[in-house]
Amino acid sequence: DKYGHKPLANKIRVQLPEPTLTDNASDWARLSVELKRNLPYEKNIEIPLSVLRDLPEILRQANWDVSLTLTDLDDKYTITRIEPGNEQPPYGLAIDIGTTTVVVYLVNLKTGAIEDKQGTYNKQAKFGDDVISRIVYAVETPDSMQEIHQAVIDTINELTDKLLARQNLIQADLTAAVVAANTTMTQLFLGINPRYLRLEPYIPTVSLTPSVPARELGLHILPEALVHSYPSVASYVGGDIVSGALITDMANKEEVTLFIDIGTNGEIVLGNQDWLVSCACSAGPCFEGGGINFGMRAMSGAIERVEIDPETLDVNLTVVGRILPVGICGSGLVDCLAKMRKAGIIDRAGNFQLERSSYSARLRQTPDDKEFVLAWAHQAGGDKDIVITENDVKNLIRAKGAIYAGIRSLLQMVAMDIDLIDRIDIAGGFGNYLNVPDSVQIGLLPDLPAEKYEFIGNSSVKGACLALLSQKAWREAADLARKITYVELSIGTTFMDEFVSALFLPHTDLSLFPTVEG
Amino acid sequence: MGLTGLEIYKQLPKKNCGECGTPTCLAFAMALAAGKGALETCPYVTDEARENLASASAPPIKAIKFGNESVLGDETVLFRHDKTFYHPTTLLIKVSDKLTDSEIEAKVQEIEGLEFDRVGLHYSIDGIAVVNESSDQDRFSQVVEKVASATSRSLMVLSENPDALKAAVPGIASRKPLIGPATFENYEAVVNFAKEQKVPVILKADGLDALNELVESAQKLGYKEFVLDPGSRSTSQTLANLTHLRRLAIKKKYRPFGYPVIAFTGKNEPLDEIAEASVYVAKYASAIVLKTSIKAHILPLMALRQNLYTDPQKPIQVEPTLHVIGDVNENSPVYVTTNFSLTYYSVEGEVESSKIPSYILPIDTDGTSVLTAYAAGKFEPEKIADALAASGVAEKVNHRNLIIPGAVAVISGKLQEKSSWKVVVGPRESSGIISFVRTMQG
């Protein structure tokens, strides 16, 4: 609301006077004179050759009553579509390219309503699960770059086609698109060589990415429509985070906000209207189920809550979809860690206390590792016991340690106490399922009152919608990206000291967690 | 204490133009706070802000330069782990003008030989302090001239007699010697002379109260190129003085003590003298004048100086050389990992508990973990193959099996090609090493 409704593309209907022998201006002159009379601002109006080619026929077929789609950006209007006069609204796409999943929202640019959504796995996954292996793949041969670029375009097109079919629209009705993605995804989406993103000193090719006509990318939308990519801050703090930070509105408030995307990259932004700092603490894929024996995404069959009887070590599970469990998702893992510690199955360093195995057969030693059985094979959807191993626990501790150390490092950078944080906004798919008291118990999140926390879900796609509908928001995104200071955690010893101190449940310094019982 | 990044940031133009070479104003402010930037690189800073920041960020201890690139002072912390110590202690060897010409020649020759190469680093002595002990002004000038012509190192010229200094210094003033000492008795003459010659001067008084008074009097002469000598010659008293001076300068911003401090050793037995000097190197002496010039005495002191003035802001790492675990033989397995200490010790711990004597080769990845190093292109097959060849492990074992971390299985093909060792992909987690190596051997 504060940004007002002024979408990146809009539609205007004009009735032109018919040409006569005395009024013999060209079609385009006739059109632009009439347009200028109808448009609120004095700006240049441009028409691409491709649109001009069809102009004479359309004007005459429509009996000089036409609807024009315009992109309205900075100092000029560009006509992207001419059609016979109708009142059908223009549409746009808000696209969130996640490393793993891609989400597309169909937005009515006239009303601002989200008409439909689609999501699927990123087709780039076959070239690697994470951004690093995709960068490695992309620079192998010139063909592999094209291949990996095309994979994400195909993913988006597939979703777009579905949305068009469901809503009975055609490609030309989609007149603008905004993409929010991490820096690697943005460069691969635009087909920009990503090689140096991962090499010291980690330099992206471009921060303020240019807007390009959809034709250049082969997206299934109006070929002249402009595709806007959110600007990024650094190699590992990208447009998805700028988009999320815009949604939190942290850059316009006096209060200090901590914005965390709890995901593989673990991006964090801290600040207020005066200053903003960010970092990426590389938590790893644990909380999305990666790197954990029975880890999985939060979907049907995932254990999302765990209760452990401290006496008998009996287990009570809550499973998404109330079906037999097949694995454990991020929130279940956080819960599991907190409850295993409470039941004395692990010590503060995550070491398994095997002497407790006399209480329960659930705690056992295998040739490879120590493990705790969450669900026996006969109670599980598969044919194997669902277990959590000592390695899983250590992985989780490293992941939660990285997030907390990232928060502490940013605070140190600006010489601020944790208590001065007024608000914590948590984003990421995982955020939907996160239990704050559990997270504090294990030392993933700072020990602050629960009312300071808020889940904001997929803030990346929300920010893309916002920009699509407001030129003001889009301009602010560029300012925001320029304002955020990226802190390189690999310099100096701060992060490493903080990380090592956080490899403990909840932390080496217990005074940081006053509400966690000893 | 200096200003924090945020405090500096408030005074900056907040344009985020990037013209200073950092992407944002806050990043620039944080660099300034860390003493890594210069305000001049910002073209838009207002004169008002420049004035505020210049006075507030003035160094607590003045930098005094003399001789052949010797820098004293300009330090900001009491403990090196708080940031770092910047300017290694300047070490000078005393040469008395009571020595005969041939003794002086021998001494200077010995001093000139104090150059060491050790673990890839070069150490050298910084300079010579010529001391007027003969009470013969002409002899002093002769010796100063003689020493100056025999060395290109930094020079210190010490006499309590202003006339002796006035005779000896002008000939070498272009080499910017450190002169002194100025005391209560002679300070007007000596400080004014130093000012005229544009050379720094040592202020010497007994104890901190007297030194304070002397500095304030000397400052009134309109000169500020000072090095302080609190007069003590016993280890404990000097240690106390050095500590007080550094604390007052940094913690209290007490300007009269905002100058570097020089220490003179008191012990005559060389081994005691080196132990004494070690204390001063560790505890804030910006320069030390030593009597001994024997190589075996000086080397450990220089190694200590090197260690203490190393920037501690580096990741925790182990030496990237071949590590031997247990009583190895020609069949011992060879593991490769990174030199990040957490990573290395996880591997070492498991290898030890496997009870199979082994070699571990940590690759220099700037102290990053296996996956972090792989992600940043620091754990590449070429690099590992080179390190393997350089380690000499090929001569120590009669097999050619190299065990790599399971998480980087993807590099195995290329590594095998580059190293011509058979690359065996180990477990993803080091905890799997025990069962892995037993299966392999069994």
Side-chain angles (χ1 to χ4, degrees), chain B residues 95 97 130-137 140 158-161 164:
Chain B
V95 172
D97 67 351
V130 183
V131 187
N132 180 9
E133 290 179 332
S134 66
S135 59
D136 176 346
Q137 216 171 289
F140 182 55
L158 299 177
S159 173
E160 301 215 355
N161 175 0

Side-chain angles (χ1 to χ4, degrees), chain A residues 132 136 198-200 202 274-277 367-368 391 395 398 413-415 482-485 487 492-493 496 500, chain B residues 4 6 9 14 16 23-24 26-27 30 312-316 340 342 366 374-378 380 429 431 435:
Chain A
I132 298 300
V136 171
R198 79 170 182 124
L199 300 179
E200 212 173 278
Y202 319 110
D274 299 319
W275 52 271
L276 293 155
V277 286
D368 289 329
N391 266 328
N395 264 335
R398 280 194 288 268
M413 220 57 83
V414 292
R482 216 178 289 134
K483 251 169 94 172
I484 297 176
T485 298
V487 174
T493 54
M496 201 41 77
V500 173
Chain B
T4 67
L6 276 187
Y9 173 70
K14 303 188 186 73
N16 296 315
T24 66
L26 182 56
M30 294 198 289
Q313 306 293 314
K314 293 265 165 65
I316 319 159
F340 178 42
L342 281 184
D366 301 327
Y374 171 71
K378 293 176 179 177
E380 303 285 280
E429 302 286 346
S431 60
S435 63

